[in-house]
Amino acid sequence: MGENFLSPTYLILLLITITRLISTVGKTEQWKSLLLPEISNKLREDPEAIQGASRDYGNLIHDVPAGVFVPSSVQDIATLIKLSYNNNKVGDSVPFSIAARGQGHSTKGQAMARDGVVVDMARFREGGNGVGITVGGGGGKQYYADVGGEQLWIDVLRAAMEHGLTPVSWTDYLYLTVGGTLSNAGISGQTFKYGPQITSVLEMDVITGKGESVTCSKQTNSELFYAVLGGLGQFGIITRARIALEPAPKRVKWVRFLYDDFSAFTKDQERLISINGSKQKNRLDYLEGMLLMHQGPINNWRSSFFPLADHPRIISLVTQHRVLYCLEVAKYYDDQSEVNVDKELQVLFQGLSYIPGFYYEKNVSFVEFLNRVRSGELKLQSQGLWDVPHPWLNLFIPKSQILDFDSGVFKNIIHKRNITTGPALVYPMNRNKWDNKMSASIPDEDVFYAVGFLHSSGFDNWKAYDAQNREILQFCNDAGIKYKQYLPHYRTQEGWTNHFGPKWGTFSERKHQFDPRMILSPGQRIFNNN
Ligand code: FAD
């Protein structure tokens, strides 16, 4: 599984890269002759750069670009896009496509640009030439961080914490870029309370598909603002986002409960997330849930939590039930609230229907809690298991259909196929914490669940996981489950039209307005899927 560089997939990729490079060299030369002298030396065509931009975390799709652009300034990005937009004829691609690539943590080639140009935002960040991170506000006004689209959330956290501040809405893993998560939504256990990350954005600088640099917010250029948030990179490249900050707590009570009954588990999750109003003091700060299945270890890479001494009794319970459901919650506190935190949790936990005796608690620092996935990543990296294929499937399921999903998917497809490894997440969120004007597409119900199958597979067996994912989607279609994919991937125009539903008209009008020549993020395959 870890022998990535010796695998047949790797060798095939190398061959494809070389063949493509030979066939696109003519085209690239034509572009390069058009590139302004000050940016032409920023286009990389060496195999290392090309291969890096032809793969992502999914390791399943490999679209080879003609070049990789490493900007030295925001202006360079605008110049590149303008060049493509104004270009009438370059080889047989008119104009050339451009994709910003954050960390390439997508799983289905969403940050790739076949025969086009990939803008390497990671190198842009490493060169220190982007907007960086600046904390501002205060004095009675909202605190905020002005953050380059190329920045990592972990660095936003560190910079904000230096001022005793923090963003409120997170992803489980923090080594993702601001531009990348804002192009999707950015969800985690805080979403039920604060909404996804896209709702914490106050203002942005965006370079549109016409190469124009535009500052946008809810008040100014609002159409672009709403388009870009959750917009899958279709309308512009985010070069700066202003993120709202709040005072940071110091520590976190982090609790897990085990359930053997899905209906009791979801009922408790739903009750806990119903306490979410800003005036309701006694509310949680984070709520997620996951499946524990007999195929996998009970502590997975996303977090090790259960004490070793308890593993045998948990494993025996999993073996008995085949699947357990783990409710995970957290409450933040600081010096002032420390005296009350246990009491408040006790009140909240009254009446929960977990299996008696299967309650686990940890007390950790705020940063340790938010950065909980990192140690698992480093461990996998050291074992060569991070760069394996990741045939992930992420869905939003309406609350009214989550029990049908449980019986059809968790209790049937997953049991039958018996291959699921890696984390499987299930947790609810409140629709009223999302902003429907933004591009992100979610189910039309007050409460809906995020369900994530975060598989790692070998190079030789990823197709079995892919087949399972397809069977799950087929089951949902047949059962009339009105799901939406998160981090979506569709192969047909019809798939995209259904995905956006009533928002499709607005989405495609905005595309024609802000990227009329269909230049940006072609790897999403929304407007170029034939
Ligand atoms: P990329 O994959 O590089 O890009 C994603 C898309 O955004 C592409 O279409 C790209 O062209 C576009 N894009 C990139 N930068 C910009 C920019 N500056 N302006 C405009 N468009 C841009 N997601 C969650 O919501 N919650 C989680 O808890 C979570 N956990 C994860 C854990 C792991 C280990 C991994 C690998 C992913 C996780 N994700 C999670 C998914 C993550 O949000 C997506 O992969 C997302 O795309 C961010 O990754 P990235 O920054 O590498 O962006």
Side-chain angles (χ1 to χ4, degrees):
M1 228 155 92
E3 294 173 344
N4 197 9
F5 289 95
L6 298 176
S7 71
T9 320
Y10 179 77
L11 294 174
I12 292 166
L13 175 62
L14 194 66
L15 195 67
I16 296 173
T17 308
I18 293 165
T19 319
R20 277 278 178 73
L21 270 178
I22 293 167
S23 74
T24 55
V25 97
K27 271 185 235 163
T28 319
E29 282 314 310
Q30 280 173 289
W31 295 357
K32 282 192 78 181
S33 69
L34 287 162
L35 288 184
L36 303 172
E38 64 269 26
I39 66 163
S40 67
N41 59 354
K42 292 161 192 170
L43 191 70
R44 290 183 63 187
E45 298 163 83
D46 54 284
E48 190 201 344
I50 298 288
Q51 271 168 39
S54 319
R55 56 191 294 172
D56 62 16
Y57 185 75
N59 222 334
L60 299 170
I61 289 178
H62 301 284
D63 279 342
V64 181
V68 177
F69 188 68
V70 184
S72 304
S73 65
V74 165
Q75 186 52 44
D76 280 352
I77 304 176
T79 307
L80 179 78
I81 300 181
K82 214 172 268 171
L83 191 86
S84 177
Y85 178 67
N86 291 328
N87 190 23
N88 284 325
K89 185 133 187 72
V90 178
D92 51 11
S93 339
V94 185
F96 57 89
S97 61
I98 297 172
R101 182 182 196 273
Q103 293 296 95
H105 272 122
S106 295
T107 55
K108 295 282 175 60
Q110 287 94 334
M112 295 180 194
R114 178 189 291 224
D115 296 340
V117 176
V118 168
V119 181
D120 188 339
M121 302 299 274
R123 289 226 168 202
F124 184 40
R125 176 183 68 244
E126 284 153 15
N129 296 316
V131 167
I133 305 173
T134 321
V135 173
K141 293 204 180 119
Q142 169 78 56
Y143 285 106
Y144 62 81
D146 271 331
V147 178
E150 75 287 351
Q151 294 295 319
L152 297 177
W153 282 101
I154 181 71
D155 296 324
V156 180
L157 174 63
R158 287 187 184 129
M161 289 293 286
E162 279 177 22
H163 300 261
L165 299 167
T166 177
V168 292
S169 186
W170 291 99
T171 46
D172 293 338
Y173 173 64
L174 306 185
Y175 291 73
L176 303 167
T177 65
V178 169
T181 71
L182 296 185
S183 297
N184 285 295
I187 58 165
S188 181
Q190 295 88 1
T191 307
F192 82 89
K193 180 175 176 184
Y194 293 110
Q197 288 181 321
I198 47 176
T199 59
S200 314
V201 180
L202 304 171
E203 185 182 280
M204 284 182 290
D205 290 339
V206 172
I207 304 173
T208 68
K210 297 177 180 174
E212 292 166 349
S213 300
V214 181
T215 299
C216 57
S217 66
K218 283 186 183 172
Q219 291 76 35
T220 311
N221 296 311
S222 58
E223 195 67 20
L224 181 61
F225 180 79
Y226 290 122
V228 166
L229 293 169
L232 306 175
Q234 295 305 299
F235 310 101
I237 294 188
I238 303 165
T239 55
R240 177 185 65 96
R242 179 167 286 187
I243 313 287
L245 302 178
E246 297 288 339
K250 280 208 171 134
R251 295 196 64 81
V252 177
K253 292 267 178 183
W254 183 9
V255 183
R256 285 186 179 178
F257 312 89
L258 298 187
Y259 290 72
D260 55 13
D261 181 88
F262 187 75
S263 164
F265 164 72
T266 50
K267 206 165 134 236
D268 284 354
Q269 283 188 319
E270 287 165 21
R271 173 166 80 71
L272 291 170
I273 69 151
S274 71
I275 310 165
N276 62 67
S278 56
K279 298 219 170 80
Q280 290 173 290
K281 270 195 92 188
N282 191 13
R283 56 186 180 155
L284 292 167
D285 293 295
Y286 166 101
L287 181 142
E288 287 201 3
M290 73 199 80
L291 267 53
L292 297 186
M293 284 170 284
H294 69 289
Q295 297 99 324
I298 51 169
N299 277 334
N300 60 54
W301 59 267
R302 274 185 69 260
S303 69
S304 59
F305 194 95
F306 301 108
L308 265 180
D310 265 43
H311 283 203
R313 73 181 193 124
I314 298 175
I315 290 169
S316 115
L317 205 64
V318 175
T319 311
Q320 186 190 334
H321 292 279
R322 298 193 70 182
V323 57
L324 291 184
Y325 308 98
C326 173
L327 172 58
E328 177 176 68
V329 301
K331 189 151 178 76
Y332 307 155
Y333 66 95
D334 52 27
D335 294 342
Q336 274 105 57
S337 48
E338 187 171 4
V339 283
N340 291 327
V341 66
D342 284 329
K343 229 181 299 153
E344 285 178 7
L345 283 177
Q346 254 177 28
V347 173
L348 269 174
F349 296 162
Q350 262 165 28
L352 293 186
S353 311
Y354 58 92
I355 311 168
F358 286 88
Y359 167 101
Y360 297 92
E361 188 184 301
K362 269 192 183 185
N363 188 343
V364 294
S365 78
F366 181 58
V367 173
E368 191 184 335
F369 174 71
L370 290 182
N371 203 18
R372 61 198 175 277
V373 176
R374 177 64 166 173
S375 57
E377 177 203 343
L378 293 176
K379 199 161 158 209
L380 289 183
Q381 293 226 20
S382 70
Q383 297 165 340
L385 295 175
W386 185 249
D387 293 324
V388 297
H390 293 102
W392 283 14
L393 180 66
N394 286 279
L395 302 171
F396 291 141
I397 306 290
K399 168 186 151 176
S400 66
Q401 295 177 308
I402 195 68
L403 296 183
D404 299 340
F405 189 88
D406 173 53
S407 33
V409 177
F410 299 145
K411 293 203 168 74
N412 186 14
I413 297 173
I414 301 285
H415 275 183
K416 200 180 62 198
R417 289 191 175 251
N418 202 22
I419 56 166
T420 293
T421 54
L425 308 180
V426 195
Y427 59 95
M429 38 191 75
N430 296 304
R431 193 176 206 279
N432 64 2
K433 303 285 175 177
W434 293 63
D435 185 336
N436 199 34
K437 291 197 196 112
M438 295 175 182
S439 291
S441 187
I442 54 174
D444 193 12
E445 242 175 62
D446 290 348
V447 171
F448 60 89
Y449 279 78
V451 176
F453 295 101
L454 312 184
H455 298 300
S456 300
S457 78
F459 287 94
D460 51 355
N461 67 346
W462 64 266
K463 284 195 174 141
Y465 293 86
D466 205 41
Q468 174 169 294
N469 291 344
R470 274 185 276 114
E471 189 180 350
I472 291 171
L473 293 177
Q474 190 59 51
F475 163 78
C476 290
N477 290 333
D478 294 346
I481 293 180
K482 296 197 169 74
Y483 68 90
K484 299 284 180 194
Q485 282 190 37
Y486 179 56
L487 313 171
H489 173 72
Y490 296 95
R491 290 194 174 85
T492 60
Q493 186 76 48
E494 194 195 355
W496 284 111
T497 314
N498 288 339
H499 174 74
F500 284 106
K503 285 183 164 182
W504 172 249
T506 309
F507 194 84
S508 50
E509 271 165 34
R510 286 170 170 171
K511 182 72 173 173
H512 284 96
Q513 186 179 352
F514 300 115
D515 182 21
R517 301 198 75 186
M518 314 285 164
I519 290 169
L520 296 172
S521 289
Q524 298 279 3
R525 293 188 166 74
I526 302 175
F527 296 96
N528 55 328
N529 51 14
N530 42 12

